[in-house]
Amino acid sequence: MTGRVTDSGGRPVPDTLIEIWQTNAAGRYRHSREHHPAPLDPNFDGIGRAITDSAGRYRFVTIQPGAYPWGNHYNAWRPAHIHFSLFGRAFTQRLVTQMYFPGDPLLPLDPIFNSVPDERARQRMIAAFDIELTQPEWALGYQWDIVLRGRDAAVFE
Ligand SMILES: [Fe+2]
């Protein structure tokens, strides 16, 4: 997955630290407070860090996370997502958000995704599948851009 971090004027935000955390393919976090009994993946920690390049671009090679039950209500499942944290120019500018995958049937049912009232803002939380980024016999490619401020800003928690 890759994308660009830009400011409200579309200017790239270089040298910014991005951290991600996510479940493995079975929907399990590697975390001491995790209660979902899905198996851990011995080859996957579920965390990553990258610094944006001079064009504001980041790239992660990861696995597609799984949906997981979260007990918020009967038969409650979180849609597959990746948590993102971005550090801006200062340590106090940490921004946290979630990225979702296109076509996920759980999205219309998810109270967290739907807590964002604006339809266009919700759509900006969904990555785009990209066949050009996709590499044969290796990995699907997704594109997800993050706008820090302004009318098209990403939804931050
Ligand atoms: Fe999560």
Side-chain angles (χ1 to χ4, degrees):
M1 50 185 288
T2 185
R4 286 179 74 223
V5 180
T6 55
D7 66 16
S8 57
R11 289 175 293 265
V13 180
D15 307 316
T16 199
L17 174 63
I18 300 180
E19 293 177 326
I20 61 169
W21 62 100
Q22 62 169 94
T23 70
N24 64 24
R28 169 110 185 232
Y29 286 105
R30 185 181 290 279
H31 191 283
S32 58
R33 279 182 290 161
E34 170 66 274
H35 297 301
H36 183 31
L40 283 169
D41 178 345
N43 299 307
F44 186 69
D45 285 337
I47 53 174
R49 272 188 183 149
I51 307 264
T52 56
D53 67 13
S54 58
R57 185 163 290 282
Y58 71 87
R59 179 173 180 269
F60 289 103
V61 176
T62 183
I63 62 169
Q64 190 144 2
Y68 60 84
W70 65 304
N72 184 58
H73 53 87
Y74 174 71
N75 213 4
W77 293 81
R78 292 292 338 271
H81 58 276
I82 298 178
H83 296 268
F84 271 69
S85 160
L86 289 90
F87 288 94
R89 299 283 179 220
F91 190 69
T92 52
Q93 290 177 326
R94 187 175 185 223
L95 299 168
V96 176
T97 187
Q98 297 183 27
M99 187 213 84
Y100 297 90
F101 291 87
D104 192 323
L106 293 170
L107 286 174
L109 304 171
D110 182 47
I112 294 179
F113 179 74
N114 290 293
S115 68
V116 176
D118 178 23
E119 164 70 15
R120 287 182 59 245
R122 283 199 301 276
Q123 293 307 312
R124 288 198 297 274
M125 296 193 289
I126 304 174
F129 172 71
D130 189 334
I131 191 68
E132 300 299 323
L133 280 175
T134 297
Q135 296 182 25
E137 323 301 329
W138 166 238
L140 301 181
Y142 288 90
Q143 175 93 30
W144 191 56
D145 295 333
I146 303 163
V147 180
L148 294 183
R149 275 182 295 277
R151 197 169 49 93
D152 296 322
V155 176
F156 294 110
E157 295 170 0

